[in-house]
Each structure stands twice: as C-alpha cells, then as structure tokens.
Amino acid sequence: MKKSDKPVAIVSYDEKPGIQAIATTAPDLPPVPGVHATFARDHEYKRHGTLSLLAGIDLLTGKVHALVKDRHRSREFIEFLKLLHAAYPARTAIKLILDNHSAHISREIRAWLDTRPAGRFQFTFTPNLIEGFFSKFARSVLRHIRVTSI
C-alpha cells in the first residue's frame, strides 16, 4: 500500500468555555391548555459553577468527540488528543483543524506530540466548523438545561 493510501480522520476542534451549571430552585410547571403552552420555569436558579466543553467533529463521519472539563489548558487538550488517539486505528493520520489558542501550541503539547508516531497528528490553524456545532448546541440544549450539580 502506498503512503498516500494511509487512512485519514479530519477533525474540526474547539473549546466552549464558561458553560454555566445551573439548577432550578422550584420544579418546572407542566403546560396548561389556555394558560401556557410550554413548560414554565421559575426565574430563580442556583449556580453550581462553570465548565468547558472541548469538542471535535469528524468531518468525514460526523462523529463528535467531546470532553467536559473545569478548564481548557494544555493538559486538558492533551486529554482530548488521547481520546482521539484511542478512537482511531493506529495507522490513521488525525488531522485537526483548530484555532491558534496558546493551549494548542505550548511546550507541553509539543513535548507530548513528540512521543507520538510521526504523522499521527497534524494541526491546521484556522477558524473552523465546530463553531457552528457549538452555536446550535448552545441554542437548542444548553440554554434550557438545568442540573443538580456541576
């Protein structure tokens, strides 16, 4: 098999920091015909803290790889790279499209990448498609969610 026949995964990656983990202080009220058509929720809430979503979408398969962490530093990015490393066969090249955040280009990242087989990870620094996923996720899921803990 020629080198160019090596399998490739192309993953668009980014972080969404500052996701609030908030809880209701009273139960949601079910819809009541003629009064309110959807669930009603009290405006008061309890804030448990914030989290960061680290996610990448495989542009060839549509699979989303994700981690939820307290922060999004180099060490959390390495955890995400390990998740990708475990998700794809060893001979698959993993090409990441990501922004030029300092956590993606640190000495810690370069040192970790040096321990991986040559060509396993390739980075392209540019704005990317995962932003659209984050936007849709925030509008359709995150703004409605209530949790009991962080």
Side-chain angles (χ1 to χ4, degrees), residues 12-30:
S12 178
Y13 169 85
D14 205 357
E15 302 93 2
K16 180 164 184 59
I19 298 171
Q20 292 194 64
I22 55 178
T24 56
T25 57
D28 289 345
L29 299 173

Side-chain angles (χ1 to χ4, degrees), residues 7-77:
V8 174
I10 302 171
V11 178
S12 178
Y13 169 85
D14 205 357
E15 302 93 2
K16 180 164 184 59
I19 298 171
Q20 292 194 64
I22 55 178
T24 56
T25 57
D28 289 345
L29 299 173
V32 176
V35 179
H36 48 87
T38 62
F39 278 89
R41 179 172 287 156
D42 192 351
H43 293 287
E44 291 186 25
Y45 60 87
K46 179 180 179 186
R47 188 170 183 272
H48 294 292
T50 60
L51 298 167
S52 291
L53 172 63
L54 291 72
I57 187 167
D58 185 313
L59 299 179
L60 302 175
T61 67
K63 178 172 175 41
V64 174
H65 303 275
L67 288 176
V68 176
K69 294 291 177 182
D70 291 333
R71 300 175 69 182
H72 63 282
R73 302 164 297 179
S74 294
R75 70 180 60 166
E76 287 82 16
F77 184 51

Side-chain angles (χ1 to χ4, degrees), residues 118-135:
R120 175 64 166 171
F121 287 97
Q122 299 168 24
F123 292 179
T124 300
F125 297 104
T126 185
N128 57 60
L129 294 173
I130 194 68
E131 294 290 341
F133 171 80
F134 284 156
S135 176

Side-chain angles (χ1 to χ4, degrees), residues 71-127:
R71 300 175 69 182
H72 63 282
R73 302 164 297 179
S74 294
R75 70 180 60 166
E76 287 82 16
F77 184 51
I78 288 172
E79 284 185 59
F80 183 81
L81 294 176
K82 289 177 179 178
L83 178 111
L84 289 181
H85 183 66
Y88 293 99
R91 50 186 301 276
T92 300
I94 302 170
K95 296 184 178 191
L96 277 100
I97 302 168
L98 63 168
D99 61 16
N100 202 13
H101 186 275
S102 61
H104 306 156
I105 56 174
S106 69
R107 267 183 282 170
E108 190 177 356
I109 295 298
R110 289 192 306 267
W112 186 83
L113 289 172
D114 286 345
T115 68
R116 305 290 94 206
R120 175 64 166 171
F121 287 97
Q122 299 168 24
F123 292 179
T124 300
F125 297 104
T126 185

